[in-house]
Amino acid sequence: MSWTAALCEPLISTSRRAQLDAQMRDRVNASHLWAATFFGGMIADAVRTLPGEDPWRHMSAKIRVGQIELTRGEIPRPPEVTGALLRGQAFGAPDAGKDLVDLTPGDPSSAVASAALAEGLNPVSAVVVAFATDGWRHAGEVLRSVPTGGRDLFDTGAEALRWALWRRRVYVGLDDPMTMLSGMQWAWRAQQVAESGEMELADSEKELVAQSIADYSIPAGSYERYRLG
């Protein structure tokens, strides 16, 4: 999938990247269900392959849209408004990765290792990342709650995915084969879900999802080895 390739290759031209984003926005506009499944799946793959002790896998979160309210986590207690909490603090600030990346002198945009976080993360995208540790469907349901058009859903999903991939790359580096594999697999699964109209996978696909996560999981204990301070 060309759009996923742009996540892997930072040297794609600005004009080509803009073209790929425009095409992806059109795809999102065509099917909210496809988009929620695709983004939910890729984000869950990235988050669920982090070490089990990584704090990004243990956030509480809440989203409230009209009469819809979704929450996860008890400690820390979920926030009162839409957003996620990481160790009791609002998740989404540019310094959210300071436990693994040295941010001195304090400007995330000044270093390659942290530039992806420099603009911060919007509260709904933060909730998606938090829910992704529970699986693709949970992340997808948060995305489906986004009330307006495809542009908002694209931005919400793409930003959450970018942060999730950044966290994984801190451990495994930029050359991560899981990203392209995940993108291709979830594009196909999202099409099946969109055609069926139900946010459900066949048993064989559920097994493949579990196997892929097992194959690409970062070993337990890695967080403590990489953690600064």
Side-chain angles (χ1 to χ4, degrees), residues 61-65 68-71 81-83 124 127 131 142 145:
K62 175 188 289 184
I63 183 169
R64 181 183 294 126
V65 180
I68 300 174
E69 180 175 295
L70 304 172
T71 63
V81 296
T82 293
V124 179
V127 174
F131 270 79
V142 175
S145 72

Side-chain angles (χ1 to χ4, degrees), residues 7 89 96 136 174 209 218:
L7 295 173
Q89 301 296 316
W136 70 273
L174 179 62
V209 171
I218 299 164

Side-chain angles (χ1 to χ4, degrees), residues 71-140:
T71 63
R72 82 166 308 275
E74 296 180 358
I75 303 175
R77 184 176 179 179
E80 294 300 320
V81 296
T82 293
L85 294 180
L86 173 65
R87 291 175 166 170
Q89 301 296 316
F91 174 69
D95 65 354
K98 65 183 179 181
D99 55 338
L100 296 181
V101 174
D102 185 1
L103 296 182
T104 55
D107 180 7
S109 66
S110 66
V112 173
S114 58
L117 311 186
E119 295 182 358
L121 190 64
N122 73 75
V124 179
S125 294
V127 174
V128 176
V129 175
F131 270 79
T133 198
D134 298 321
W136 70 273
R137 188 182 291 102
H138 293 81

Side-chain angles (χ1 to χ4, degrees), residues 1-6 12 14-31 34-35 38-39 150-151 154 158:
M1 186 178 184
S2 297
W3 186 81
T4 306
I12 289 177
T14 301
S15 60
R16 177 57 176 160
R17 192 177 297 277
Q19 181 186 41
L20 292 172
D21 279 352
Q23 292 172 350
M24 188 62 166
R25 287 183 190 277
D26 289 342
R27 187 68 186 87
V28 169
N29 273 321
S31 174
W34 182 93
F38 173 77
F39 283 122
R151 180 179 178 84
F154 171 80

Side-chain angles (χ1 to χ4, degrees), residues 35-45 128 132 135-137 139-140 143 186:
T37 303
F38 173 77
F39 283 122
M42 281 202 74
I43 296 163
D45 279 359
V128 176
W136 70 273
R137 188 182 291 102
L143 287 162
W186 283 105

